[in-house]
Amino acid sequence: MPQMLKVTPTEHGVRLITLHRPEAMNALNTQLLGELAAELAAVEQDPGTRVVVLTGSRKAFAAGADINEMAERDLVGILNDPRVSHWQAISSFSKPLIAAVNGFALGGGCELVMHADIVIAGEDARFGQPEINLGIMPGAGGTQRLLRAVGKSLAMQMVLSGIAIDARHAQRAGLVSEVTQPELTIERAIELARLIAQKAPLAVRLAKEALLKAQDTDLASGLRFERHAFTVLAGTQDREEGICAFQEKRRANFTGQ
Ligand code: DAK
């Protein structure tokens, strides 16, 4: 049973996972990251859960790695850090992941946001990579994913100065897709998740993979992957169902076959 997560049973194909470590602004210690990695691994095996919404509290999505825990680690501890494998497990999650962000998303918290496929933010959300203030730098993909998300100049500004940006700025820069009133962030993320959960699962999965490829491959290889994925989907029952439903003017009933 997770202790630092609240997990809402799957409804309409959507599972809501809430980071719950209120006494420390959801700082990501080894236990919390481990519970999250394990929960996502369980969702991966559950055909009934098609989309995950990940959120924190109104005050903080997550204020970064747990600084007190970091203080206890020396170089050997860092080299054998169990958090590395937890981060890897989180980054290999293949179903759609939507982050609903309110309050602070700092350091590892901002990096966790960037593991999500879609980010919905409350107006009061703040995104930042303040590691430089601790004499370190981002270590869970922050330099690589932030630059790809917001471009070189803003990524450099955020990582080198440690200054956070607000939700509107994050949206203009491409880190966030929609900004809502803070009390509506989770509701909007769930609405979007339910919509995606109704689509053909194989198409969703391959489309996600193809879009992620675009971030780390050259155009020719990306186009080859897209062509291949498109061809794979041509042989699915869900493609037949989607086209039939359109022609028969009814809603498609996708099965993942
Ligand atoms: N760690 C531990 N405790 C934290 C924390 C954190 N990151 N952030 C907040 N807290 C705790 C505070 O210590 C305080 O605890 P008490 O004093 O009440 O016991 C409580 O949460 C409430 O915080 P504040 O009193 O500070 O609340 P404020 O509203 O005044 O300020 C704040 C909120 C979020 C602006 C502030 O707490 C803050 O600046 N927090 C630190 C933010 C930060 O520097 N984050 C970056 C951490 S470095 C790795 C991958 C990634 C990373 C590391 C390793 N590997 C793959 C190995 C990532 C590194 C980081 O994220």
Side-chain angles (χ1 to χ4, degrees):
M1 212 41 175
Q3 294 170 343
M4 294 189 175
L5 296 180
K6 280 188 183 165
V7 180
T8 310
T10 298
E11 241 185 277
H12 303 287
V14 177
R15 188 170 300 185
L16 175 66
I17 301 177
T18 306
L19 306 175
H20 186 64
R21 205 184 160 214
E23 71 285 2
M25 297 257 170
N26 289 332
L28 303 167
N29 64 1
T30 304
Q31 182 181 339
L32 176 46
L33 278 176
E35 287 182 11
L36 180 59
E39 188 58 33
L40 292 178
V43 168
E44 200 77 79
Q45 301 304 319
D46 172 17
T49 304
R50 295 189 173 176
V51 184
V52 168
V53 172
L54 179 64
T55 194
S57 70
R58 280 291 290 276
K59 268 189 172 169
F61 178 79
D66 187 312
I67 298 173
N68 301 321
E69 194 182 58
M70 278 167 61
E72 291 162 9
R73 288 222 161 83
D74 57 10
L75 184 57
V76 176
I78 288 170
L79 289 172
N80 298 311
D81 198 327
R83 291 175 302 172
V84 173
S85 60
H86 296 329
W87 277 110
Q88 278 166 353
I90 294 165
S91 67
S92 65
F93 184 60
S94 74
K95 296 181 181 182
L97 180 63
I98 302 181
V101 182
N102 287 312
F104 296 107
L106 302 178
C110 188
E111 290 172 307
L112 184 56
V113 167
M114 290 188 280
H115 279 69
D117 303 306
I118 298 172
V119 183
I120 307 296
E123 278 160 351
D124 63 350
R126 292 188 68 75
F127 301 84
Q129 298 290 160
E131 290 90 341
I132 203 82
N133 298 327
L134 301 171
I136 56 172
M137 59 176 277
T143 58
Q144 304 305 300
R145 291 193 179 92
L146 189 64
L147 187 134
R148 283 165 169 80
V150 306
K152 177 181 162 190
S153 183
L154 183 56
M156 284 282 185
Q157 181 176 319
M158 290 171 70
V159 171
L160 301 187
S161 76
I163 295 174
I165 59 173
D166 64 23
R168 294 275 172 212
H169 193 169
Q171 184 186 29
R172 285 197 302 279
L175 188 58
V176 158
S177 65
E178 279 183 27
V179 176
T180 65
Q181 291 170 24
E183 57 276 19
L184 298 179
T185 313
I186 297 175
E187 197 177 302
R188 173 63 185 144
I190 288 179
E191 182 183 38
L192 206 52
R194 285 187 179 176
L195 186 71
I196 295 169
Q198 289 167 12
K199 312 294 180 195
L202 286 172
V204 167
R205 188 185 183 121
L206 285 175
K208 168 172 169 166
E209 208 177 328
L211 285 162
L212 290 179
K213 274 266 184 294
Q215 291 195 317
D216 58 22
T217 194
D218 60 281
L219 181 61
S221 311
L223 289 172
R224 255 198 314 280
F225 181 86
E226 184 190 85
R227 186 84 223 141
H228 178 68
F230 187 84
T231 311
V232 167
L233 293 175
T236 62
Q237 287 173 17
D238 278 347
R239 174 183 179 272
E240 257 176 60
E241 166 63 9
I243 292 173
C244 273
F246 174 80
Q247 290 173 336
E248 292 167 9
K249 299 191 188 305
R250 61 173 171 83
R251 180 190 270 235
N253 179 24
F254 295 118
T255 59
Q257 304 293 306

